[in-house]
């Protein structure tokens, strides 16, 4: 039975390094809200500016996101201030981030609705990296 979703185009951003269940659950909840999900994936250069080094290079992170059934389109995230333009270009009605960013993007309320969803506890790319590092150190 076709289920009408509350929004059309929904936009979110992230690094999505070492793709894990926390990322999947966020994208699944976003896909339940909107009929077309766009993900802005942070490029390696943009992440360098964030002081973030990923385990998985940009092209591969994009390939993983494109393989996710909850994602309809992946665009590059190259700058903090690209969001208003992306919202306009893609006609986004809703912008969503995990609540570790709560309040950080309220300025976008001038362009569309903004929603922060609860993060999945006890899992992160940083944590996975740490676990792998410990495992390799003890082997
Ligand atoms: N996330 C989550 N639960 C986790 C880990 C992450 O819901 N256990 C969510 C984050 O809240 C975020 C998304 O997954 O909305 C992607 O997380 P990151 O890859 O860590 O994104 P980040 O590097 O913080 O980039 O312009 C915004 C930035 O691109 C955000």
């Amino acid at each position: 039975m076709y289920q009408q979703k509350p929004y059309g185009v929904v936009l979110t951003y992230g690094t999505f390094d070492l793709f894990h269940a926390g990322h999947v659950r966020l994208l699944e909840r976003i896909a339940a809200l909107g009929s077309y999900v766009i993900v802005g994936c942070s490029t390696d250069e943009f992440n360098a500016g964030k002081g973030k080094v990923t385990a998985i290079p940009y092209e591969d992170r994009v390939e993983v996101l494109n393989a996710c059934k909850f994602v309809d389109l992946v665009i590059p995230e190259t700058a903090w201030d690209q969001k208003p333009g992306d919202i306009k270009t893609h006609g986004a009605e809703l912008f969503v981030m995990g609540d570790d960013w709560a309040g950080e993007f309220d300025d976008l309320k001038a362009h569309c609705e903004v929603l922060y969803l609860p993060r999945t506890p006890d899992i992160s790319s940083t944590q996975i990296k740490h676990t792998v590092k410990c495992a390799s150190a003890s082997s």
Side-chain angles (χ1 to χ4, degrees), residues 95-113:
F95 170 87
V96 182
M97 290 295 292
D99 61 6
D100 50 323
W101 290 91
E104 297 292 328
F105 299 111
D106 286 357
D107 59 307
L108 297 176
K109 289 179 180 175
H111 307 281
C112 69
E113 289 200 39

Side-chain angles (χ1 to χ4, degrees), residues 6-33:
Y7 298 92
V9 176
V10 184
L11 187 56
T12 191
Y13 295 80
T15 302
F16 297 99
D17 189 27
L18 299 169
F19 199 68
H20 53 68
H23 296 142
V24 171
R25 291 177 196 151
L26 179 84
L27 295 169
E28 181 171 21
R29 285 174 287 165
I30 293 175
L33 291 168

Side-chain angles (χ1 to χ4, degrees), residues 49-97:
K50 289 188 211 171
K52 209 170 183 167
V53 178
T54 58
I56 313 285
Y58 172 71
E59 288 73 23
D60 294 8
R61 290 183 281 116
V62 169
E63 192 174 336
V64 169
L65 284 167
N66 275 318
C68 177
K69 65 180 179 184
F70 303 121
V71 176
D72 297 291
L73 177 67
V74 182
I75 60 175
E77 182 184 25
T78 58
W80 286 109
D81 59 5
Q82 72 178 67
K83 295 181 177 73
D86 290 344
I87 291 166
K88 194 157 184 291
T89 302
H90 298 283
E93 297 171 9
L94 177 66
F95 170 87
V96 182
M97 290 295 292

